[in-house]
Amino acid sequence: MQPVDVIRGDGPVVLGVPHAGTFVPEDIKARFNDIGLKLADTDWHVDRLYSGLLPGTTMVKANFHRYVIDANRDPEGASLYPGQNTTTLCPTIDFDGRPIYHAGKEPETDEIEARRLAWHAPYHAALLAELERVRARHGVAILYDCHSIRSVVPFLFEGTLPDFNTGTNNGTTCASAIEAAVVSRTEAAEGYASILNGRFKGGWTTRYYGRPAEGFHAIQMELAQKTHLATEDTPFAYDEVKADRLRVHLKDILSALETLAPALFQNNTQGANND
């Protein structure tokens, strides 16, 4: 199993998909308990949801499961949300706070580092390579980081999550025009609830790569899974009717970002010339 798949396009938008993979090496799987084996915290079918929406879009997808190592966590292990419940670089609990390993079978420091090198690092090497390739072609690269999660997860947040959860780390990871383009469309999407920089402000990927002054713009979209799954529990089946309705809005968002790219490049160039 290759750690990452890359579908290369010639447009300015790069889709990051760090959590849709379900591969777990057998030696790790053998140490999971029944909760871990369920793989419930997968971003189910997110790659399928975004596939084919915008010709020319690049997709970088992690094939390994987040329980192996989380591709959207700081490789140094620092928490993105200090003081709040969350899962770590190499999770030992699920989103409900329950252990995923048999007692005493959790990975130790050396194993975590080996997993990071084998899985986390190749994913980010591929993602960085695509962002740099796209920026070289267009002058800017727009990373749209694709996520989904159950609508109700009391361990992580109160109440029911809105359908669209846009994260820009309070406006720091992308140009304001990108944030505005996405938010205007999520707010206008009939029948869907939305929020900007709520519980999910953008994970490590968005925060690390989002450097607008350098031509790298990043924004995270966390979708409530009720928007495209038949049920948010086993078997986590894809609902084509729900998904097709949602894909109309996702396509509109991605198209708007693609359209913005030339102006973003021009603004960056003018800014550099004025320095």
Side-chain angles (χ1 to χ4, degrees):
M1 171 62 67
Q2 293 296 316
V4 57
D5 283 339
V6 176
I7 300 171
R8 185 168 290 164
D10 58 7
V13 178
V14 176
L15 304 177
V17 185
H19 291 152
T22 57
F23 177 73
V24 180
E26 288 301 321
D27 62 319
I28 298 175
K29 186 183 294 185
R31 293 148 61 190
F32 283 171
N33 60 26
D34 288 344
I35 293 170
L37 290 172
K38 190 175 179 180
L39 303 182
D41 300 329
T42 307
D43 289 12
W44 296 103
H45 309 294
V46 161
D47 51 337
R48 179 179 178 182
L49 188 63
Y50 282 94
S51 180
L53 284 180
L54 184 67
T57 300
T58 294
M59 179 182 286
V60 180
K61 179 200 169 188
N63 292 319
F64 53 95
H65 195 265
R66 68 188 305 154
Y67 289 171
V68 176
I69 196 148
D70 194 328
N72 197 35
R73 294 292 184 270
D74 186 334
E76 301 299 323
S79 176
L80 295 172
Y81 298 99
Q84 298 184 57
N85 288 338
T86 187
T87 52
T88 56
L89 174 66
C90 197
T92 57
I93 59 173
D94 71 355
F95 285 172
D96 294 312
R98 301 174 299 178
I100 61 175
Y101 287 88
H102 292 295
K105 299 296 185 180
E106 301 85 355
E108 297 185 353
T109 302
D110 289 349
E111 182 182 354
I112 293 171
E113 176 62 7
R115 292 192 199 182
R116 186 190 69 79
L117 292 173
W119 305 98
H120 188 287
Y123 173 77
H124 284 284
L127 184 57
L128 178 58
E130 293 308 308
L131 289 170
E132 290 179 336
R133 178 185 65 84
V134 166
R135 187 183 64 168
R137 182 182 181 95
H138 295 278
V140 296
I142 302 173
L143 171 61
Y144 182 97
D145 211 36
C146 309
H147 296 263
S148 74
I149 192 171
R150 285 176 284 145
S151 304
V152 178
V153 188
F155 182 71
L156 298 182
F157 52 81
E158 296 181 357
T160 301
L161 198 69
D163 302 304
F164 292 104
N165 300 265
T166 305
T168 63
N169 198 25
N170 297 320
T172 62
T173 64
C174 65
S176 59
I178 289 178
E179 183 180 272
V182 174
V183 170
S184 65
R185 284 160 176 79
T186 59
E187 289 181 342
E190 187 175 352
Y192 295 93
S194 64
I195 193 170
L196 170 65
N197 291 315
R199 171 60 178 84
F200 298 98
K201 300 180 186 297
W204 183 78
T205 302
T206 301
R207 302 185 198 195
Y208 180 76
Y209 293 104
R211 303 190 289 271
E214 300 174 30
F216 295 110
H217 301 265
I219 190 165
Q220 177 176 305
M221 180 59 71
E222 187 87 50
L223 295 168
Q225 290 179 344
K226 66 180 180 180
T227 61
H228 58 284
L229 298 187
T231 174
E232 296 183 334
D233 204 340
T234 306
F236 305 102
Y238 188 82
D239 186 315
E240 291 201 23
V241 173
K242 287 183 178 180
D244 285 349
R245 178 170 173 253
L246 178 62
R247 277 167 57 87
V248 171
H249 301 291
L250 298 178
K251 181 177 181 178
D252 188 30
I253 289 169
L254 297 182
S255 298
L257 298 184
E258 181 180 61
T259 301
L260 280 171
L264 295 173
F265 173 55
Q266 185 176 16
N267 290 341
N268 278 0
T269 302
Q270 290 175 345
N273 290 337
N274 292 331
D275 287 343

